[in-house]
Amino acid sequence: MFNIIIFGAPGSGKGTQGQILTDRYQLTHISTGEVLREKIRKQTPLGKLADEYISKGQLVPDNVVIDILTKFFADNPTSNGYIFDGFPRTLRQGEAMDEMLAEKNESINVVLWLDVDDDELVERLVNRGKEMGRNDDNLETIKSRLKVYYQKTAPLKKFYSKQGKLVKINGMGTVEEIFSRIEKVIDSLSTKI
Ligand code: B4P
């Protein structure tokens, strides 16, 4: 199994590159953001709760997203490899994920950190807000998401760097250019496993 975390600030291309990676390597993909948006669309109790946080640019509480991951593993007990997109976003989530994988005698192989300038992040998200109408893609909420990213999510870089798993990818450029950088990293690592 080859397990990947795709990591980065909001708008860094996690969802975009995560989907391409899933198709290219036949991985099992989870985007916690997508799962939460689906619950919001269906107006489930969890969706209503998540909406209160997402619409303000805040993180949904750890226990809620950790439960989503637990269910994901129950629904997908075996795989070629998993790709985690938008999870973990806090140290507690990272620790919980390591424990869940250890129970399956598995671990994370690589954390791909998509590094993108803040100005570019804001521009991508503002554009998506105009095109797709996602209610968390407005300037005020985007600023708060970036602040939360630097406070709560960016410390995970140290967590994975200490484990020797963090690989920085230049996330500026076209989708194809960025994917080709990712592909080189995965191909070089997977031959060593
Ligand atoms: P997510 O769905 O993960 O949203 P995101 O961080 O904004 O990134 P996303 O993956 O959607 O965007 P991408 O970078 O691909 O989370 C949404 C919310 O859910 C969070 O704010 C939080 O509240 C909550 N949540 C989710 N997971 C959670 C967790 N684990 N814990 C707590 N809360 C959680 O792309 C952005 C845009 O850029 C797209 O429009 C794309 O087309 C464009 N783009 C991509 N690559 C590009 C490129 N190279 N050039 C130009 N544009 C590009």
Side-chain angles (χ1 to χ4, degrees):
M1 264 206 207
F2 196 82
N3 302 314
I4 302 171
I5 293 175
I6 188 134
F7 183 87
S12 56
K14 300 183 297 292
T16 308
Q17 298 295 337
Q19 195 51 58
I20 307 175
L21 268 169
T22 303
D23 298 341
R24 165 79 171 76
Y25 296 96
Q26 277 113 50
L27 300 171
T28 310
H29 175 243
I30 178 167
S31 154
T32 40
E34 273 303 317
V35 173
L36 293 166
R37 279 188 292 281
E38 178 66 17
K39 307 262 179 217
I40 294 173
R41 271 193 292 275
K42 292 187 176 155
Q43 282 289 291
T44 66
L46 194 155
K48 287 179 188 166
L49 174 81
D51 198 19
E52 287 176 28
Y53 292 89
I54 293 180
S55 60
K56 292 185 198 130
Q58 292 168 5
L59 294 181
V60 172
D62 282 338
N63 62 326
V64 173
V65 278
I66 291 170
D67 284 352
I68 290 175
L69 194 73
T70 307
K71 182 169 185 315
F72 167 76
F73 281 130
D75 292 344
N76 300 278
T78 56
S79 169
N80 266 345
Y82 298 106
I83 175 156
F84 303 97
D85 157 6
F87 188 101
R89 268 175 148 100
T90 63
L91 283 172
R92 193 173 148 222
Q93 292 179 22
E95 285 160 0
M97 170 184 249
D98 278 358
E99 282 167 25
M100 280 187 237
L101 285 168
E103 279 172 24
K104 298 160 75 63
N105 290 320
E106 284 293 332
S107 60
I108 292 295
N109 296 89
V110 67
V111 179
L112 300 169
W113 163 32
L114 296 172
D115 185 31
V116 176
D117 297 348
D118 281 6
D119 289 350
E120 169 80 10
L121 294 172
V122 173
E123 194 182 322
R124 288 184 192 176
L125 294 173
V126 166
N127 283 342
R128 183 171 65 186
K130 285 182 195 150
E131 284 162 20
M132 317 268 288
R134 235 174 84 167
N135 78 343
D136 56 344
D137 284 340
N138 60 73
L139 200 51
E140 196 187 335
T141 311
I142 292 167
K143 283 186 182 157
S144 128
R145 282 156 69 196
L146 278 178
K147 204 166 152 198
V148 169
Y149 167 76
Y150 286 113
Q151 277 173 353
K152 299 195 172 160
T153 307
L156 278 162
K157 280 188 264 177
K158 204 167 175 187
F159 179 77
Y160 288 113
S161 171
K162 275 190 195 157
Q163 297 184 19
K165 293 177 178 169
L166 188 74
V167 177
K168 181 172 164 177
I169 307 276
N170 175 1
M172 302 285 287
T174 66
V175 170
E176 294 74 23
E177 282 165 350
I178 298 161
F179 184 69
S180 120
R181 290 171 199 145
I182 291 178
E183 207 174 21
K184 278 192 195 125
V185 171
I186 305 282
D187 290 346
S188 74
L189 288 174
S190 54
T191 52
K192 291 184 200 150
I193 290 178

